[in-house]
């Protein structure tokens, strides 16, 4: 069986084959969780919002035209869910966030190395939490979700050049905040 594109799967969902949404969930739930977690730093809230995004994709499946990329439509819904839930305001750093972020670090056998990685993750977590919502969002999309500048431009409805500038400025701001935290 040929691997169906995301757009083809979503068009089948739109046509009434709701079981196909499971394929999209398998492909994107972790990526979507990562984005929402980096925006809220609250594990349970991010998990709930992932469910809401997929619910809204089903609810509004008739709005999917297939003319653009599925992933852009998905992130647009995710951004709306963030707004709806009021999670785009400055959030207090969740205590379980550091452990969640440390889980994504590559493993090593040296205990000191593990401790250094965890401390670095804590510093990064604190620095990311101090960024404004737009800076945190653009870094989450570009660095954690590893989307291309062109894709981010389509998701945010801005030019590719604006994305490059915003990513650069956000990285500079993150570096400045991280340096202050580490002192």
């Amino acid at each position: 069986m040929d691997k169906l594109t995301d757009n083809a799967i979503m068009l089948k969902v739109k046509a009434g084959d709701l079981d196909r949404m499971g394929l999209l969930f398998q492909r994107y739930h972790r990526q979507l969780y990562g984005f929402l977690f980096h925006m809220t730093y609250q594990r349970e809230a991010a998990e709930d919002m992932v469910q809401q995004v997929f619910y809204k994709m089903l609810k509004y499946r008739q709005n999917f035209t297939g003319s653009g990329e599925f992933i852009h439509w998905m992130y647009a819904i995710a951004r709306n869910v963030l707004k709806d839930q009021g999670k785009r305001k400055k959030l207090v750093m969740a205590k379980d966030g550091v452990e969640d972020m440390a889980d994504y670090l590559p493993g090593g056998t040296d205990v000191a190395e593990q401790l250094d990685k965890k401390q670095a993750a804590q510093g990064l977590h604190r620095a990311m939490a101090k960024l404004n919502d737009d800076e945190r969002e653009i870094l989450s999309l570009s660095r954690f979700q590893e989307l291309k500048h062109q894709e981010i431009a389509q998701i945010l409805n801005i030019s590719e050049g604006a994305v490059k500038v915003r990513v650069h400025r956000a990285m500079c701001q993150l570096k400045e905040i991280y340096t202050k935290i580490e002192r």
Side-chain angles (χ1 to χ4, degrees):
M1 179 176 146
D2 292 326
K3 185 175 180 181
L4 293 174
T5 66
D6 298 334
N7 281 15
I9 293 170
M10 192 61 214
L11 288 172
K12 287 183 180 284
V13 170
K14 180 179 179 177
D17 189 359
L18 302 183
D19 291 337
R20 298 285 181 145
M21 185 56 90
L23 291 172
L24 294 172
F25 183 82
Q26 287 176 342
R27 288 182 185 178
Y28 290 105
H29 78 277
R30 289 181 59 95
Q31 182 176 346
L32 194 55
Y33 170 81
F35 170 70
L36 294 167
F37 176 78
H38 284 104
M39 291 303 296
T40 63
Y41 288 107
Q42 295 181 4
R43 189 180 65 169
E44 289 180 12
E47 289 170 355
D48 290 345
M49 285 188 280
V50 167
Q51 297 299 321
Q52 289 176 33
V53 170
F54 280 95
Y55 168 76
K56 287 186 182 252
M57 283 192 281
L58 278 173
K59 183 176 179 181
Y60 298 110
R61 65 186 177 272
Q62 296 305 320
N63 295 343
F64 183 76
T65 62
S67 61
E69 293 293 320
F70 165 79
I71 195 168
H72 303 150
W73 186 67
M74 179 187 75
Y75 276 112
I77 293 172
R79 293 178 74 221
N80 286 335
V81 166
L82 277 165
K83 289 176 188 175
D84 291 347
Q85 297 300 315
K87 298 301 181 189
R88 290 185 57 101
K89 65 182 185 218
K90 199 65 171 178
L91 297 168
V92 177
M93 184 173 65
K95 61 182 174 186
D96 62 348
V98 174
E99 288 77 21
D100 290 342
M101 186 177 281
D103 289 343
Y104 292 106
L105 294 173
T109 57
D110 184 39
V111 175
E113 183 179 326
Q114 289 283 346
L115 183 59
D116 288 343
K117 286 181 182 180
K118 189 170 184 175
Q119 288 173 339
Q122 289 173 333
L124 178 61
H125 178 72
R126 286 193 301 272
M128 285 287 292
K130 290 183 183 279
L131 291 174
N132 70 42
D133 293 334
D134 292 335
E135 292 167 334
R136 192 169 50 254
E137 179 179 54
I138 200 121
L139 287 181
S140 179
L141 291 170
S142 68
R143 298 299 191 240
F144 296 112
Q145 302 306 312
E146 299 178 353
L147 297 177
K148 296 176 182 166
H149 289 145
Q150 180 183 14
E151 293 175 308
I152 297 169
Q154 291 174 345
I155 291 167
L156 300 180
N157 200 26
I158 59 176
S159 71
E160 191 173 341
V163 170
K164 291 176 184 178
V165 169
R166 289 183 185 184
V167 168
H168 176 74
R169 288 180 181 165
M171 286 298 294
C172 289
Q173 184 66 22
L174 180 64
K175 181 180 177 182
E176 183 180 319
I177 292 169
Y178 184 80
T179 303
K180 287 179 185 177
I181 289 172
E182 292 301 306
R183 284 187 202 155

